[in-house]
Structures are given as C-alpha cells and as structure tokens.
Amino acid sequence: MKYCSTCGHPVEQRIPEGDNRHRYVCASCDTIHYQNPRIVAGTVPVWEGKILLCRRAIEPRYGYWTLPAGFMENAETTVEAAIRETVEEALADVNIEGLYSIIDVPHINQVHMFYRATLKDGQFGAGEESLETQLFELEDIPWDELSFPTVRKTLELFLEDFRKDDFSVHVKDIRRPMPLSSEKY
Amino acid sequence: MKYCSTCGHPVEQRIPEGDNRHRYVCASCDTIHYQNPRIVAGTVPVWEGKILLCRRAIEPRYGYWTLPAGFMENAETTVEAAIRETVEEALADVNIEGLYSIIDVPHINQVHMFYRATLKDGQFGAGEESLETQLFELEDIPWDELSFPTVRKTLELFLEDFRKDDFSVHVKDIRRPMPLSSEKY
C-alpha cells in the first residue's frame, strides 16, 4: 500500500494514537487503513467413502491436487463460501455435514476453514480453475502431489477420524518464518 | 474506496476478466482490489462458574456489556487474537479450553469466533476500551444491556451447554437486510 484509497494521497506507516501497531495512515486525510487476515473456505467432499479432489489449473501450485476451497467473499457466510467454491472448482453440489478444520496460517495472514460435505448426487467435474477432478479412495490420496499444507493437514485428520467414524472439529495452526516484508505488522 | 492504493489513480467498479463479481479495479495500473470479510475473535471467560463481561467504553454500543472480542490482526492466530483481546479489554489472562462459536454476520462482512476460556488466576480489570468488567452469575447476565447479537447468541448457547455440561462447537449465522451501499458486492 502506497496511496490512500480514500483521498489518493501517499500513506505513511506509523502507530496511530491509542493503538500499539504500525498501520498505513494517510498523511493528508488521516484515514487509518487496517489490514486483516482473510478466510479461505472449502469442503472435504465425500461420495461413497471416497474423497473428491481437484487438480489445480491455476497458480500457485498449478498441477497439484487440492480440496475445493478459496477466498471467502463479502456478503456470504463461511458455509456459503465453502459450497460456492465446491461448485466452482469441482462442479459438485454438496450437503454440509459440519465444520471440520480451522487452520490458522499466520505468516500469510490467512485462516483456512474446511467443512465436511457429501455430494448430493455423485456428479462432479472440472471447473475453470481445475485441470481435472477425481474421487480418491482413502488409501490412494496423492500425498506427494498435494497443493497446500492446510489441505494435507485436513486430509490427515480426516483419514484418522474416518477410520474411527468419529468426527470432531479441529483447530490447528501451521507456522513458518514471517516474511521480511511483513515484519512491521 | 475511490483511489488505487498501489498507484494513487482513481478506481472504477467492474467485473474483471475471468471473474463474476464487481471489484474495485484501477483504471490506470489494472490492480484489482479484493475486499473480504474480517474475523472478530474473542472468548467466553469463566471463573468459578461465572462469566466475565466488559462494559464498552467505545462506540459502537458504548455502555453495553460484551464478551471480550475484537478484530483479528495480521500475523496472529485466532487463538492468539482471542487471548490478546481478553487481555486488552478485561486485563485477564486465560487458558483456552476450545473453540465454541462461529457466527457469520454476512451483512457486515464479519465472522465472529469465540473460544471457551478459563481465567488463570481470577484476576481481571477494565482495559482501555472498557468502562468496567464484572463476573456474572449465569442467572444475572444483563440480557437487556448486551452489546451485539453475536454476544447474545454465544451466551445463550453457552448457558444451555453449561447446564448440560456438554460443550460442542456451534456454527450459526445472523442475517439482516444487506446495507444499500454494499448491494453490488
């Protein structure tokens, strides 16, 4: 951020009065531009004991397998976001069975939330952001070709719970060294 | 948003290629400025069967009682945000017992997340954003003076579960008509 989105003047980084963190503040109109984590919402879509995965047609991690998930949009709920992403990436209509995993990823300012889901009719396909989609038996999950740590973590938890037939909600975090450019925040 | 935070030129609202939603897009440098929901994280802090509430010293809802909660910051986890807000607003150190409620509030682009927590040593006080803090017996919760619908909902659920001594995770949403200014998003 270099310019104020309210008035177009340059912003500076400083700690506003009454605050204790560096923020982008407009030097002209004094607007404080807060920056906050974003939610990635998705599903673990199941059909007849198999899990539906999508092979990514976009960067990052082009060609790797993922659970359907993406950035939550304004004016929707986390459940609606998870259902929408499953339609968009896997052309699959799902029933939501319950919240499954919340994985904080603080070094990239994201919170990933996955819901357990069941395909409504077994239909699926490759949406615009997927090269292909496929139902995997649990023992055939392509562990070496998964896209993101949160997908891997969620699938690991899911397999464990699936074998016990006992699903609870998991809150986890995945930490990496903070990027240099974010050190001030 | 009126100006591009990257280059300072005016933005326009249009649907970018490959997208299906109106976004703020810079007419000069083509940067797309996505806007996403924010997370409010907090706790239900308990001490000897009582719940710690804070009376707000800031707007909105000045003077009303709330659970300690606030906007999650970049570079922290939801648990860290919930603990931090409890320190800031109630001067209380807590142990987190588990995720409790996730309440989507789509008309204001927020997701509220409350963790069950126990005071570490029974100590608490009024932080800068609180007029006072107080431990309430469950039958004395000031229902008519609560600050926000998500606080009320979380407390209603908590009382019910407390009486059963069985706490699960609750995913809910609170919907209101969408504000006119957000109709395009």
Side-chain angles (χ1 to χ4, degrees):
Chain A
M1 167 167 267
K2 292 180 181 170
Y3 298 91
C4 175
S5 56
T6 304
C7 78
H9 282 76
V11 292
E12 56 189 26
Q13 289 180 25
R14 61 180 170 86
I15 301 177
E17 202 184 316
D19 202 341
N20 53 17
R21 289 169 190 254
H22 279 87
R23 312 281 183 187
Y24 288 111
V25 183
C26 179
S28 173
C29 75
D30 288 332
T31 299
I32 303 168
H33 297 281
Y34 296 96
Q35 296 187 314
N36 303 88
R38 290 191 293 175
I39 293 173
V40 169
T43 61
V44 185
V46 174
W47 179 252
E48 294 177 348
K50 305 188 189 83
I51 296 179
L52 183 62
L53 299 180
C54 312
R55 203 153 72 83
R56 288 172 63 82
I58 52 171
E59 295 292 352
R61 304 294 278 163
Y62 179 100
Y64 286 79
W65 291 94
T66 188
L67 290 163
F71 286 113
M72 183 181 175
E73 300 276 3
N74 276 353
E76 67 182 359
T77 66
T78 51
V79 165
E80 288 167 349
I83 291 172
R84 176 181 54 72
E85 290 290 342
T86 309
V87 170
E88 287 178 5
E89 299 188 357
L91 308 182
D93 288 322
V94 290
N95 292 315
I96 296 295
E97 308 293 342
L99 178 63
Y100 188 60
S101 66
I102 296 188
I103 307 180
D104 288 288
V105 200
H107 62 288
I108 52 171
N109 309 318
Q110 292 180 9
V111 179
H112 291 215
M113 296 178 56
F114 288 95
Y115 284 88
R116 290 187 294 116
T118 307
L119 299 197
K120 283 187 178 170
D121 52 13
Q123 299 295 305
F124 61 91
E128 282 185 13
E129 297 183 0
S130 303
L131 296 169
E132 59 178 315
T133 50
Q134 189 180 319
L135 284 171
F136 285 89
E137 299 279 357
L138 299 193
E139 56 269 27
D140 294 333
I141 286 173
W143 295 105
D144 294 337
E145 298 167 53
L146 293 181
S147 56
F148 302 111
T150 55
V151 169
R152 168 181 290 276
K153 187 56 159 176
T154 297
L155 287 172
E156 286 171 355
L157 293 164
F158 192 86
L159 256 66
E160 205 173 306
D161 288 353
F162 190 88
R163 283 173 185 139
K164 292 184 297 185
D165 193 24
D166 183 15
F167 295 96
S168 53
V169 178
H170 299 273
V171 179
K172 303 285 179 187
D173 55 63
I174 289 174
R175 293 167 189 271
R176 299 280 185 278
M178 200 64 63
L180 281 176
S181 62
S182 297
E183 275 187 343
K184 282 188 177 169
Y185 301 96
Chain B
M1 166 167 269
K2 292 180 181 170
Y3 297 91
C4 175
S5 55
T6 304
C7 78
H9 281 76
V11 293
E12 55 188 29
Q13 290 180 26
R14 60 181 170 86
I15 301 176
E17 202 184 315
D19 201 341
N20 53 19
R21 287 169 192 254
H22 279 88
R23 313 281 184 187
Y24 288 110
V25 183
C26 179
S28 173
C29 76
D30 287 334
T31 299
I32 303 167
H33 297 281
Y34 296 97
Q35 297 187 314
N36 303 88
R38 291 192 292 175
I39 293 172
V40 169
T43 61
V44 185
V46 174
W47 180 252
E48 295 177 347
K50 304 187 189 84
I51 296 180
L52 183 61
L53 298 180
C54 312
R55 203 154 71 85
R56 289 174 63 82
I58 52 172
E59 296 291 352
R61 303 293 280 163
Y62 179 100
Y64 286 80
W65 291 94
T66 187
L67 290 164
F71 286 113
M72 182 182 178
E73 299 276 4
N74 276 353
E76 67 182 359
T77 66
T78 51
V79 166
E80 288 166 350
I83 291 173
R84 176 181 54 71
E85 290 290 342
T86 310
V87 170
E88 288 179 5
E89 299 188 357
L91 307 182
D93 289 322
V94 289
N95 292 316
I96 296 294
E97 308 293 340
L99 178 63
Y100 188 60
S101 66
I102 297 187
I103 307 181
D104 288 288
V105 200
H107 62 287
I108 53 171
N109 308 318
Q110 292 180 7
V111 179
H112 291 215
M113 295 178 55
F114 288 94
Y115 284 88
R116 289 186 295 116
T118 308
L119 299 196
K120 282 186 179 172
D121 53 12
Q123 300 295 303
F124 60 91
E128 282 185 13
E129 297 182 0
S130 302
L131 296 170
E132 60 177 315
T133 50
Q134 188 179 319
L135 285 171
F136 285 89
E137 299 280 358
L138 299 194
E139 56 269 29
D140 294 335
I141 286 173
W143 294 106
D144 293 337
E145 298 168 52
L146 292 180
S147 56
F148 302 112
T150 56
V151 169
R152 167 180 291 274
K153 187 58 166 173
T154 297
L155 286 171
E156 286 172 353
L157 293 164
F158 191 87
L159 256 68
E160 205 172 306
D161 289 354
F162 190 89
R163 285 175 184 141
K164 293 183 298 185
D165 193 26
D166 182 14
F167 295 95
S168 55
V169 179
H170 300 272
V171 179
K172 302 286 179 186
D173 55 62
I174 289 174
R175 294 168 189 270
R176 299 279 185 278
M178 200 64 61
L180 280 177
S181 62
S182 297
E183 274 189 341
K184 281 189 178 169
Y185 302 97

